[in-house]
Every structure is written in structure tokens, then in C-alpha cells.
Amino acid sequence: MPKELKKNSENIEKMLFRSADKLRKNIDAAEYKHIALGLVFLKYISDSFAELYEKLAAGEGDYAGADPEDRDEYKAEHVFYVPPQARWEYLYARAKLPSIGGDIDEAMDAIERENETLKGILPKVYARPNLDKASLGGLIDLIGNIALGDAAARSKDILGRVYEYFLGEFANAEGKKGGQFYTPKSIVRLMVEMIEPYHGRVYDPACGSGGMFIMSEKFVQEHKGRVDDISIYGQESNQTTYRLCRMNLAIRGIDGSQVKWNTEGSFLNDEHKDLKADFILANPPFNDSDWSGDLLQNDPRWQFGRPPAGNANFAWMQHMIYHLSPKGIMALVLANGSLSSNTSGEGEIRKNIVEADLVDCIVALPKQLFFNTGIPACVWFISRKRSGNGDRKRTGEILFIDASERGFMSDRTHREFTQEDIDAISDTYRQWRSKEGAYEDIKGYCKSATIEDIRAHGHVLTPGRYVGIPDEIDDGIPFEEKIAALTSELSEQMKKETELNEEIRKQLSNIGISL
């Protein structure tokens, strides 16, 4: 391992990205991400294959008499079979040859032929003329020094961390375009922690690179559940992003067979028409005006009103509600306009959803959380289990949480939630929902409002209207003392100003200028 990467194993993903980015030269981040992430994926499956290959070749225990080139042996262990010309040691040995770009493309083709679930997924971009072959060789050397797919690396989730970090950094580099395939991790974690997808069907109709699915799996693992208890369903209209998603899932060992792609997207060509999901998580494009709404005027999904052709916010919401199971819960990120807009019938749709008693919680997010927009957004939590089902009966109530001042600036332009922020917000929701919860309204932060409160506000759901302005903290100093101290300070400042003005006149006079 290079010295730089040895210094701090906790930051291996950060160091690896910096080194990889140095090799990017004149290639745009949008193009380079496929080059870098494709090699990371190739190294991972090659490491996993090599580890099992050695066990099969040794023929010990359960592997006695096994053929290390038998593809079925790998399938039985849920390991991808890697043909000889695609194995890392073969490509690593050829890294300095001018033919290396074509070699990698051929390796990707060979892997797809041997593994049906990867067909059409892997990038074949390495033979492009604009890709400097020396830089490509350097990138192979760099990634080759990191164990990504053996048992030790998998136990530490090194590959997952590297892949996730790379996705985030490329999204940052791409700016607005990056937001199309990546939702920042702290937002995803908040949504998952609040809806708690322990078991059942998890659906994302605008799944991007698959972050919602990855975090759902992590949540189950962290809470000692069984990953096999959840199954994932998704859809993506951008083929490039879809491929990123499928690779992202494959390296985690998550079955991505029910994640679908077509150019029409979830509105025009719903790949999961009959699905009723237990958990739905989504961050669809904000205020999308190009969603073909004029072609879907009388769609059965519009149970609460026809969404305007110029804005897909309430089309996404109703599409998701349509796919929600009888006891399902969903978390949907939308622009803040969805909370208050009354244009083009949106206010009536929002009113109908509120009056149907589906809205459980609204969380106002801070600005600058997203890569593709600086505008503030919110998360809608819609639930069909508000009459109990293990929780407190809370029909006719909505919890409002104003988290717009939480988080920290991770760089000049982007904000993130800390884990403490996520824990505080999700715990507020859980306490409010629970039969034994110790929930209390906190002025300026959270408020459990009744349907009568919401009607009085014209079904506008902006949290600030309900939580109010935080009370000023009393510092214990009497008002009279504060005024005396402030006036004394002001008097001193005015005296100082007079002295400075006199000094300026004096100095100007010395050079023949009078005021």
C-alpha cells in the first residue's frame, strides 16, 4: 500500500479519491466517474473471486474435490465468476501497455457474458482516444494497492466506503448534474432512521445510484436484523445512472434484479404497476416541468387531484401513495413550494391528502444540503399506519419539525447533518409516534398540530407556521442593568469617535488640507 494510504486507514477513501483525481487530467468528472468506479468494481469482484478460487484450489473441508474453474461453485457462494482475461492480476500486469484500454473493455464484456445479472451494466469506456493510457495505468496501480473484495475488506466495508465516497465527490464536482444520481448520505440516513425499514418491500421510483437501498440495508444490519427480510424495487430513466445503481448494489451483494430501467420513466412506463410497497423512499427531481403530465390527464394514480403539467411534485407524491401498502410508510424529499403552493390546483391536492389523514410528519431541511440546488427542501412522511398498528393512534394530528438551522458546513457550499442531528430529529418523531413516548412541543423546533390548526392555516404545511420562533434564552441580567451597560458603552464609543475625528482634521491640516 502506498505510504500516503497507510497514514490513516480511517480516511482511506478520501486519500484514494485524491490520488485518483490527480490522474484525471483533462477528463470531465461526469466521464471520469465511470472510469474510476468501473475499476473499483472490477477490483472488488476480482478480489472476491480470487479468495474463493484459492479455497477451491486447496480442496479443503467443504471444498474437497472442487474445480476452481467451475462457474457453479461461485454461483453457490454468491460470488461473481471472473474469467482469466478479466482477473486483476492479468490486467495489472498489462497496465503499462498501450493496449490496456481495450483490454479492460474486453474484460468488462467477458464478465457480463459470464454473469447474467451484470449484463449491460458495466462501463466499456477505457479504449477511448481521450483517455491517457499512462494515467489509466497509474489508476490501475493505485487501486491495485488496496484490498477491496477479500473477507477482511468486506468486514470493514472498505469497498462500500470507497464507492460511496467516490459517488459523493463526483456528485460534488458535477454540481447540478451530480444531484441527478446522488442524494447526500446524511439526508438518506435521516429518512431511513425515521421510517425504519426492518422488513418488507422497499421501493424508490427515482432511484439514482441506489443510495436509499444501500442505507436501508445498513439500517437493518445496524439494528441486528436480517438483510434477507427486505427486498428492493426501483426504477430509473437515465441508463448511465441505472448502471451506477446496479454496480453499487452488486458490490454490496444486494439483489438488484427488481431495479428496472426504461427511457420513459416511472410516470409513462411504470415497471412495478402492481407493487404495494411497505416502505418508499425517494428524492425525485425538484419542480420537474418536463414529466409528460399532459399525456396522463386521467391516470388512476391521481386519487387526490390531477397534478399540473408544469410541475411533477404532486405527481411523484401520488405515484408513491398509489404504490403504498395498507400499512406502508414513505419518505419523500420535495422542494418547499410543495408545502404552500396554491397554483395550478396544487393547494387542492395538498388539502385532499391532508384531509385523507395520510400526512404523518413534515421536516423542514436547511439550505445547501444538496449538490444540484441550494434551495431549501423538506421531507414529507406519509403513513397508512396512523390508527395504531403498534404505535400511538395519531389520526387528525401532524408532527412538524423545523430542522432548517441544524447541520454544519462541510465545505464552502455544502451543509451536512451530524449524526447527533439525525438522532435528535428521528428520536423526536419516534417519541411522538410511540405509545410510551415522552414527546413535548418545543417552541421553534417541533409542534404536534391538529387538523383544526392546519385548516386554520389553509392547509399550508410550512413547519415555521406551527413551531413558531424560539424563545430567547434568559441570561438572568435585569433589563435596567443591560440598558445601563449598553448606554455606557455607546457613550464611550461616541467619545472615541470625536477624538478620532479631531486627529483626522489635525493630520489633514499638516498637509495643507482643511475641513
Side-chain angles (χ1 to χ4, degrees):
M1 186 182 291
K3 287 181 182 177
E4 182 192 10
L5 296 175
K6 277 185 177 178
K7 287 179 185 175
N8 188 345
S9 60
E10 289 301 308
N11 289 319
I12 189 170
E13 60 270 37
K14 188 180 295 186
M15 295 178 189
L16 183 58
F17 181 82
R18 284 178 185 163
S19 300
D21 200 42
K22 287 176 186 175
L23 298 168
R24 177 155 68 98
K25 295 189 174 177
N26 62 340
I27 300 174
D28 289 340
E31 185 179 353
Y32 190 63
K33 72 171 176 282
H34 301 293
I35 295 165
L37 289 170
L39 285 178
V40 167
F41 179 82
L42 185 60
K43 179 64 163 62
Y44 169 79
I45 65 170
S46 193
D47 283 358
S48 300
F49 169 85
E51 184 178 49
L52 183 53
Y53 185 96
E54 290 177 10
K55 291 177 181 176
L56 294 169
E60 298 175 359
D62 294 340
Y63 301 116
D67 176 4
E69 292 293 349
D70 183 353
R71 289 143 180 78
D72 290 337
E73 295 283 0
Y74 297 90
K75 188 180 288 187
E77 298 285 345
H78 303 290
V79 172
F80 293 110
Y81 176 79
V82 182
Q85 71 271 34
R87 293 172 192 170
W88 191 264
E89 65 270 19
Y90 174 81
L91 296 169
Y92 189 78
R94 300 175 66 82
K96 301 297 188 289
L97 299 178
S99 63
I100 185 60
D103 292 337
I104 296 173
D105 283 351
E106 289 173 14
M108 296 295 189
D109 276 325
I111 290 168
E112 286 189 351
R113 285 195 299 273
E114 296 290 349
N115 300 276
E116 185 66 27
T117 59
L118 296 178
K119 193 168 184 178
I121 301 300
L122 304 185
K124 293 96 175 175
V125 294
Y126 299 91
R128 290 182 179 180
N130 68 328
L131 177 55
D132 178 66
K133 299 304 179 284
S135 296
L136 179 57
L139 188 58
I140 292 169
D141 280 346
L142 181 71
I143 293 171
N145 282 308
I146 309 291
L148 292 176
D150 60 19
R154 289 198 301 273
S155 69
K156 296 176 184 175
D157 194 25
I158 290 175
L159 184 277
R161 283 164 38 200
V162 168
Y163 205 89
E164 190 173 79
Y165 188 82
F166 272 40
L167 278 173
E169 289 299 299
F170 282 127
N172 193 10
E174 290 185 58
K176 289 189 176 182
K177 289 183 179 178
Q180 295 172 1
F181 66 84
Y182 185 79
T183 303
K185 184 168 66 173
S186 67
I187 302 171
V188 180
R189 179 172 277 278
L190 174 66
M191 294 163 70
V192 169
E193 289 284 346
M194 289 180 73
I195 72 170
E196 302 178 305
Y198 286 110
H199 53 80
R201 298 171 295 273
V202 180
Y203 175 51
D204 183 349
C207 62
S209 57
M212 301 290 184
F213 302 135
I214 302 301
M215 196 63 75
S216 295
E217 185 218 25
K218 279 186 180 177
F219 177 83
V220 173
Q221 290 174 333
E222 288 171 5
H223 292 80
K224 312 303 180 188
R226 294 177 354 115
V227 174
D228 290 345
D229 287 342
I230 62 170
S231 53
I232 65 168
Y233 299 80
Q235 187 164 343
E236 176 57 47
S237 60
N238 183 302
Q239 188 178 33
T240 301
T241 303
Y242 163 74
R243 287 172 173 166
L244 281 177
C245 178
R246 290 295 302 272
M247 283 197 291
N248 200 8
L249 295 174
I251 61 177
R252 304 277 187 172
I254 300 175
D255 179 12
S257 60
Q258 291 302 317
V259 177
K260 306 292 185 180
W261 163 79
N262 65 52
T263 54
E264 297 95 336
S266 292
F267 291 135
L268 289 178
N269 188 357
D270 187 355
E271 293 278 1
H272 302 288
K273 290 182 177 66
D274 299 323
L275 173 68
K276 296 299 179 184
D278 302 294
F279 303 96
I280 303 179
L281 299 123
N283 173 28
F286 290 177
N287 303 321
D288 187 6
S289 60
D290 188 25
W291 67 283
S292 304
D294 52 337
L295 303 177
L296 298 164
Q297 294 295 298
N298 299 307
D299 195 282
R301 288 172 289 185
W302 315 148
Q303 298 172 10
F304 303 97
R306 183 187 299 167
N311 193 316
N313 287 346
F314 283 99
W316 282 115
M317 186 177 296
Q318 292 188 84
H319 172 84
M320 292 167 64
I321 292 173
Y322 179 83
H323 281 292
L324 202 59
S325 73
K327 294 183 180 180
I329 182 170
M330 65 183 240
L332 169 63
V333 183
L334 285 179
N336 273 359
S338 63
L339 301 172
S340 59
S341 171
N342 285 310
T343 60
S344 305
E346 289 185 327
E348 190 65 22
I349 297 172
R350 183 176 59 250
K351 171 187 173 182
N352 292 339
I353 293 171
V354 169
E355 292 293 342
D357 209 33
L358 288 170
V359 182
D360 210 34
C361 178
I362 301 288
V363 177
L365 300 174
K367 297 177 181 178
Q368 297 178 285
L369 279 178
F370 298 89
F371 292 117
N372 57 332
T373 179
I375 66 171
C378 59
V379 187
W380 290 64
F381 292 88
I382 302 284
S383 176
R384 291 197 191 275
K385 18 184 324 192
R386 285 162 54 76
S387 60
N389 294 303
D391 290 328
R392 178 180 69 84
K393 184 178 180 180
R394 55 199 185 279
T395 52
E397 301 175 40
I398 297 178
L399 176 64
F400 292 93
I401 299 176
D402 189 341
S404 59
E405 298 300 319
R406 289 188 175 261
F408 69 101
M409 296 302 292
S410 57
D411 58 39
R412 254 183 340 103
T413 55
H414 296 118
R415 183 177 290 274
E416 290 181 25
F417 284 134
T418 64
Q419 187 57 50
E420 289 73 22
D421 292 325
I422 293 168
D423 291 343
I425 297 166
S426 57
D427 188 59
T428 299
Y429 179 51
R430 275 192 293 271
Q431 293 293 332
W432 175 79
R433 212 176 55 196
S434 171
K435 288 178 179 176
E436 295 81 27
Y439 170 82
E440 289 183 5
D441 290 342
I442 299 174
K443 193 172 182 184
Y445 170 60
C446 63
K447 168 72 175 179
S448 181
T450 65
I451 191 68
E452 288 76 20
D453 295 332
I454 291 153
R455 286 170 184 154
H457 284 281
H459 296 89
V460 169
L461 301 180
T462 307
R465 288 203 176 198
Y466 300 92
V467 304
I469 299 170
D471 288 327
E472 188 173 334
I473 298 172
D474 186 357
D475 56 12
I477 302 172
F479 176 76
E480 292 77 10
E481 288 185 27
K482 284 183 182 179
I483 287 296
L486 288 170
T487 52
S488 173
E489 184 180 351
L490 179 61
S491 175
E492 284 294 319
Q493 289 173 347
M494 292 173 72
K495 181 181 176 183
K496 186 70 175 175
E497 182 187 15
T498 301
E499 293 173 356
L500 288 171
N501 287 338
E502 188 58 38
E503 180 64 23
I504 290 169
R505 286 191 183 90
K506 180 180 176 183
Q507 295 301 327
L508 288 173
S509 175
N510 290 339
I511 57 174
I513 300 173
S514 61
L515 285 177

PDB file of all heavy atoms in Angstrom, residues 407-428:
ATOM      1  N   GLY A 407     -27.295  21.190  11.374  1.00  0.00           N
ATOM      2  CA  GLY A 407     -26.239  20.803  10.460  1.00  0.00           C
ATOM      3  C   GLY A 407     -25.018  21.706  10.567  1.00  0.00           C
ATOM      4  O   GLY A 407     -24.978  22.664  11.343  1.00  0.00           O
ATOM      5  N   PHE A 408     -23.997  21.389   9.765  1.00  0.00           N
ATOM      6  CA  PHE A 408     -22.759  22.164   9.745  1.00  0.00           C
ATOM      7  C   PHE A 408     -22.280  22.281   8.304  1.00  0.00           C
ATOM      8  O   PHE A 408     -22.653  21.474   7.447  1.00  0.00           O
ATOM      9  CB  PHE A 408     -21.679  21.487  10.604  1.00  0.00           C
ATOM     10  CG  PHE A 408     -21.171  20.185  10.016  1.00  0.00           C
ATOM     11  CD1 PHE A 408     -19.963  20.135   9.323  1.00  0.00           C
ATOM     12  CD2 PHE A 408     -21.912  19.012  10.134  1.00  0.00           C
ATOM     13  CE1 PHE A 408     -19.507  18.945   8.768  1.00  0.00           C
ATOM     14  CE2 PHE A 408     -21.462  17.814   9.590  1.00  0.00           C
ATOM     15  CZ  PHE A 408     -20.256  17.782   8.899  1.00  0.00           C
ATOM     16  N   MET A 409     -21.480  23.281   8.016  1.00  0.00           N
ATOM     17  CA  MET A 409     -20.946  23.471   6.671  1.00  0.00           C
ATOM     18  C   MET A 409     -19.729  22.565   6.497  1.00  0.00           C
ATOM     19  O   MET A 409     -18.692  22.784   7.121  1.00  0.00           O
ATOM     20  CB  MET A 409     -20.568  24.936   6.432  1.00  0.00           C
ATOM     21  CG  MET A 409     -21.743  25.901   6.470  1.00  0.00           C
ATOM     22  SD  MET A 409     -23.039  25.514   5.247  1.00  0.00           S
ATOM     23  CE  MET A 409     -22.170  25.892   3.707  1.00  0.00           C
ATOM     24  N   SER A 410     -19.879  21.526   5.650  1.00  0.00           N
ATOM     25  CA  SER A 410     -18.780  20.590   5.426  1.00  0.00           C
ATOM     26  C   SER A 410     -17.730  21.173   4.485  1.00  0.00           C
ATOM     27  O   SER A 410     -16.580  20.736   4.464  1.00  0.00           O
ATOM     28  CB  SER A 410     -19.314  19.274   4.851  1.00  0.00           C
ATOM     29  OG  SER A 410     -20.030  19.506   3.652  1.00  0.00           O
ATOM     30  N   ASP A 411     -18.136  22.144   3.684  1.00  0.00           N
ATOM     31  CA  ASP A 411     -17.206  22.929   2.881  1.00  0.00           C
ATOM     32  C   ASP A 411     -17.861  24.289   2.630  1.00  0.00           C
ATOM     33  O   ASP A 411     -18.857  24.620   3.255  1.00  0.00           O
ATOM     34  CB  ASP A 411     -16.814  22.208   1.575  1.00  0.00           C
ATOM     35  CG  ASP A 411     -18.015  21.873   0.691  1.00  0.00           C
ATOM     36  OD1 ASP A 411     -18.944  22.695   0.602  1.00  0.00           O
ATOM     37  OD2 ASP A 411     -18.021  20.784   0.091  1.00  0.00           O
ATOM     38  N   ARG A 412     -17.311  25.071   1.693  1.00  0.00           N
ATOM     39  CA  ARG A 412     -17.815  26.425   1.475  1.00  0.00           C
ATOM     40  C   ARG A 412     -19.272  26.461   1.027  1.00  0.00           C
ATOM     41  O   ARG A 412     -19.994  27.416   1.292  1.00  0.00           O
ATOM     42  CB  ARG A 412     -16.963  27.118   0.412  1.00  0.00           C
ATOM     43  CG  ARG A 412     -16.028  28.165   0.959  1.00  0.00           C
ATOM     44  CD  ARG A 412     -15.253  28.898  -0.114  1.00  0.00           C
ATOM     45  NE  ARG A 412     -15.172  28.213  -1.399  1.00  0.00           N
ATOM     46  CZ  ARG A 412     -15.898  28.558  -2.454  1.00  0.00           C
ATOM     47  NH1 ARG A 412     -16.782  29.523  -2.377  1.00  0.00           N
ATOM     48  NH2 ARG A 412     -15.738  27.919  -3.596  1.00  0.00           N
ATOM     49  N   THR A 413     -19.721  25.419   0.326  1.00  0.00           N
ATOM     50  CA  THR A 413     -21.041  25.469  -0.310  1.00  0.00           C
ATOM     51  C   THR A 413     -22.015  24.397   0.165  1.00  0.00           C
ATOM     52  O   THR A 413     -23.191  24.465  -0.187  1.00  0.00           O
ATOM     53  CB  THR A 413     -20.898  25.344  -1.838  1.00  0.00           C
ATOM     54  OG1 THR A 413     -20.168  24.148  -2.153  1.00  0.00           O
ATOM     55  CG2 THR A 413     -20.150  26.534  -2.412  1.00  0.00           C
ATOM     56  N   HIS A 414     -21.555  23.423   0.950  1.00  0.00           N
ATOM     57  CA  HIS A 414     -22.438  22.311   1.292  1.00  0.00           C
ATOM     58  C   HIS A 414     -22.571  22.098   2.797  1.00  0.00           C
ATOM     59  O   HIS A 414     -21.591  22.160   3.532  1.00  0.00           O
ATOM     60  CB  HIS A 414     -21.928  21.007   0.649  1.00  0.00           C
ATOM     61  CG  HIS A 414     -21.942  21.051  -0.850  1.00  0.00           C
ATOM     62  ND1 HIS A 414     -20.802  20.935  -1.600  1.00  0.00           N
ATOM     63  CD2 HIS A 414     -22.960  21.229  -1.720  1.00  0.00           C
ATOM     64  CE1 HIS A 414     -21.115  21.031  -2.887  1.00  0.00           C
ATOM     65  NE2 HIS A 414     -22.408  21.214  -2.978  1.00  0.00           N
ATOM     66  N   ARG A 415     -23.792  21.850   3.188  1.00  0.00           N
ATOM     67  CA  ARG A 415     -24.121  21.577   4.591  1.00  0.00           C
ATOM     68  C   ARG A 415     -24.405  20.090   4.765  1.00  0.00           C
ATOM     69  O   ARG A 415     -24.871  19.416   3.849  1.00  0.00           O
ATOM     70  CB  ARG A 415     -25.344  22.406   4.998  1.00  0.00           C
ATOM     71  CG  ARG A 415     -25.762  22.277   6.452  1.00  0.00           C
ATOM     72  CD  ARG A 415     -26.923  23.196   6.769  1.00  0.00           C
ATOM     73  NE  ARG A 415     -26.512  24.598   6.753  1.00  0.00           N
ATOM     74  CZ  ARG A 415     -25.988  25.228   7.790  1.00  0.00           C
ATOM     75  NH1 ARG A 415     -25.839  24.606   8.951  1.00  0.00           N
ATOM     76  NH2 ARG A 415     -25.637  26.493   7.698  1.00  0.00           N
ATOM     77  N   GLU A 416     -24.142  19.561   5.945  1.00  0.00           N
ATOM     78  CA  GLU A 416     -24.472  18.177   6.281  1.00  0.00           C
ATOM     79  C   GLU A 416     -25.072  18.131   7.677  1.00  0.00           C
ATOM     80  O   GLU A 416     -24.785  18.988   8.514  1.00  0.00           O
ATOM     81  CB  GLU A 416     -23.217  17.289   6.277  1.00  0.00           C
ATOM     82  CG  GLU A 416     -22.609  17.023   4.924  1.00  0.00           C
ATOM     83  CD  GLU A 416     -21.391  16.122   5.033  1.00  0.00           C
ATOM     84  OE1 GLU A 416     -21.294  15.354   6.020  1.00  0.00           O
ATOM     85  OE2 GLU A 416     -20.532  16.185   4.137  1.00  0.00           O
ATOM     86  N   PHE A 417     -25.884  17.111   7.918  1.00  0.00           N
ATOM     87  CA  PHE A 417     -26.321  16.819   9.279  1.00  0.00           C
ATOM     88  C   PHE A 417     -25.237  16.025   9.987  1.00  0.00           C
ATOM     89  O   PHE A 417     -24.598  15.156   9.388  1.00  0.00           O
ATOM     90  CB  PHE A 417     -27.602  15.979   9.278  1.00  0.00           C
ATOM     91  CG  PHE A 417     -28.857  16.747   8.957  1.00  0.00           C
ATOM     92  CD1 PHE A 417     -29.780  16.246   8.049  1.00  0.00           C
ATOM     93  CD2 PHE A 417     -29.138  17.947   9.579  1.00  0.00           C
ATOM     94  CE1 PHE A 417     -30.946  16.924   7.754  1.00  0.00           C
ATOM     95  CE2 PHE A 417     -30.305  18.645   9.287  1.00  0.00           C
ATOM     96  CZ  PHE A 417     -31.207  18.134   8.382  1.00  0.00           C
ATOM     97  N   THR A 418     -25.045  16.288  11.265  1.00  0.00           N
ATOM     98  CA  THR A 418     -24.222  15.401  12.086  1.00  0.00           C
ATOM     99  C   THR A 418     -25.075  14.198  12.491  1.00  0.00           C
ATOM    100  O   THR A 418     -26.306  14.228  12.369  1.00  0.00           O
ATOM    101  CB  THR A 418     -23.741  16.117  13.357  1.00  0.00           C
ATOM    102  OG1 THR A 418     -24.894  16.436  14.163  1.00  0.00           O
ATOM    103  CG2 THR A 418     -22.987  17.395  13.023  1.00  0.00           C
ATOM    104  N   GLN A 419     -24.437  13.171  13.000  1.00  0.00           N
ATOM    105  CA  GLN A 419     -25.198  12.023  13.494  1.00  0.00           C
ATOM    106  C   GLN A 419     -26.076  12.442  14.667  1.00  0.00           C
ATOM    107  O   GLN A 419     -27.187  11.931  14.848  1.00  0.00           O
ATOM    108  CB  GLN A 419     -24.259  10.890  13.910  1.00  0.00           C
ATOM    109  CG  GLN A 419     -24.981   9.595  14.279  1.00  0.00           C
ATOM    110  CD  GLN A 419     -25.858   9.068  13.157  1.00  0.00           C
ATOM    111  OE1 GLN A 419     -25.438   8.947  12.015  1.00  0.00           O
ATOM    112  NE2 GLN A 419     -27.117   8.740  13.481  1.00  0.00           N
ATOM    113  N   GLU A 420     -25.596  13.419  15.456  1.00  0.00           N
ATOM    114  CA  GLU A 420     -26.401  13.922  16.581  1.00  0.00           C
ATOM    115  C   GLU A 420     -27.668  14.605  16.078  1.00  0.00           C
ATOM    116  O   GLU A 420     -28.746  14.454  16.676  1.00  0.00           O
ATOM    117  CB  GLU A 420     -25.574  14.899  17.424  1.00  0.00           C
ATOM    118  CG  GLU A 420     -24.450  14.263  18.240  1.00  0.00           C
ATOM    119  CD  GLU A 420     -23.271  13.820  17.394  1.00  0.00           C
ATOM    120  OE1 GLU A 420     -23.108  14.360  16.263  1.00  0.00           O
ATOM    121  OE2 GLU A 420     -22.519  12.918  17.831  1.00  0.00           O
ATOM    122  N   ASP A 421     -27.559  15.352  14.977  1.00  0.00           N
ATOM    123  CA  ASP A 421     -28.744  15.969  14.372  1.00  0.00           C
ATOM    124  C   ASP A 421     -29.747  14.906  13.945  1.00  0.00           C
ATOM    125  O   ASP A 421     -30.949  15.009  14.222  1.00  0.00           O
ATOM    126  CB  ASP A 421     -28.354  16.797  13.134  1.00  0.00           C
ATOM    127  CG  ASP A 421     -27.551  18.036  13.465  1.00  0.00           C
ATOM    128  OD1 ASP A 421     -27.815  18.644  14.515  1.00  0.00           O
ATOM    129  OD2 ASP A 421     -26.665  18.393  12.675  1.00  0.00           O
ATOM    130  N   ILE A 422     -29.242  13.891  13.255  1.00  0.00           N
ATOM    131  CA  ILE A 422     -30.104  12.813  12.751  1.00  0.00           C
ATOM    132  C   ILE A 422     -30.786  12.099  13.908  1.00  0.00           C
ATOM    133  O   ILE A 422     -31.991  11.828  13.869  1.00  0.00           O
ATOM    134  CB  ILE A 422     -29.281  11.827  11.890  1.00  0.00           C
ATOM    135  CG1 ILE A 422     -28.800  12.527  10.611  1.00  0.00           C
ATOM    136  CG2 ILE A 422     -30.091  10.576  11.545  1.00  0.00           C
ATOM    137  CD1 ILE A 422     -27.750  11.754   9.834  1.00  0.00           C
ATOM    138  N   ASP A 423     -30.012  11.802  14.959  1.00  0.00           N
ATOM    139  CA  ASP A 423     -30.576  11.116  16.128  1.00  0.00           C
ATOM    140  C   ASP A 423     -31.649  11.970  16.792  1.00  0.00           C
ATOM    141  O   ASP A 423     -32.705  11.456  17.194  1.00  0.00           O
ATOM    142  CB  ASP A 423     -29.469  10.803  17.142  1.00  0.00           C
ATOM    143  CG  ASP A 423     -28.500   9.736  16.646  1.00  0.00           C
ATOM    144  OD1 ASP A 423     -28.855   9.016  15.687  1.00  0.00           O
ATOM    145  OD2 ASP A 423     -27.397   9.631  17.207  1.00  0.00           O
ATOM    146  N   ALA A 424     -31.401  13.270  16.914  1.00  0.00           N
ATOM    147  CA  ALA A 424     -32.352  14.157  17.590  1.00  0.00           C
ATOM    148  C   ALA A 424     -33.668  14.241  16.817  1.00  0.00           C
ATOM    149  O   ALA A 424     -34.762  14.142  17.398  1.00  0.00           O
ATOM    150  CB  ALA A 424     -31.745  15.547  17.755  1.00  0.00           C
ATOM    151  N   ILE A 425     -33.578  14.409  15.486  1.00  0.00           N
ATOM    152  CA  ILE A 425     -34.791  14.548  14.668  1.00  0.00           C
ATOM    153  C   ILE A 425     -35.575  13.249  14.639  1.00  0.00           C
ATOM    154  O   ILE A 425     -36.796  13.232  14.849  1.00  0.00           O
ATOM    155  CB  ILE A 425     -34.416  14.990  13.237  1.00  0.00           C
ATOM    156  CG1 ILE A 425     -33.746  16.365  13.262  1.00  0.00           C
ATOM    157  CG2 ILE A 425     -35.666  15.034  12.351  1.00  0.00           C
ATOM    158  CD1 ILE A 425     -33.038  16.735  11.965  1.00  0.00           C
ATOM    159  N   SER A 426     -34.870  12.134  14.408  1.00  0.00           N
ATOM    160  CA  SER A 426     -35.574  10.843  14.316  1.00  0.00           C
ATOM    161  C   SER A 426     -36.148  10.437  15.673  1.00  0.00           C
ATOM    162  O   SER A 426     -37.233   9.855  15.750  1.00  0.00           O
ATOM    163  CB  SER A 426     -34.643   9.751  13.768  1.00  0.00           C
ATOM    164  OG  SER A 426     -33.484   9.621  14.553  1.00  0.00           O
ATOM    165  N   ASP A 427     -35.442  10.785  16.755  1.00  0.00           N
ATOM    166  CA  ASP A 427     -35.961  10.444  18.084  1.00  0.00           C
ATOM    167  C   ASP A 427     -37.201  11.273  18.413  1.00  0.00           C
ATOM    168  O   ASP A 427     -38.141  10.775  19.050  1.00  0.00           O
ATOM    169  CB  ASP A 427     -34.879  10.678  19.143  1.00  0.00           C
ATOM    170  CG  ASP A 427     -35.310  10.155  20.513  1.00  0.00           C
ATOM    171  OD1 ASP A 427     -35.597   8.946  20.614  1.00  0.00           O
ATOM    172  OD2 ASP A 427     -35.389  10.956  21.457  1.00  0.00           O
ATOM    173  N   THR A 428     -37.237  12.530  17.977  1.00  0.00           N
ATOM    174  CA  THR A 428     -38.432  13.366  18.173  1.00  0.00           C
ATOM    175  C   THR A 428     -39.637  12.703  17.517  1.00  0.00           C
ATOM    176  O   THR A 428     -40.723  12.621  18.103  1.00  0.00           O
ATOM    177  CB  THR A 428     -38.210  14.771  17.580  1.00  0.00           C
ATOM    178  OG1 THR A 428     -37.115  15.397  18.254  1.00  0.00           O
ATOM    179  CG2 THR A 428     -39.460  15.631  17.736  1.00  0.00           C
TER     180      THR A 428
END
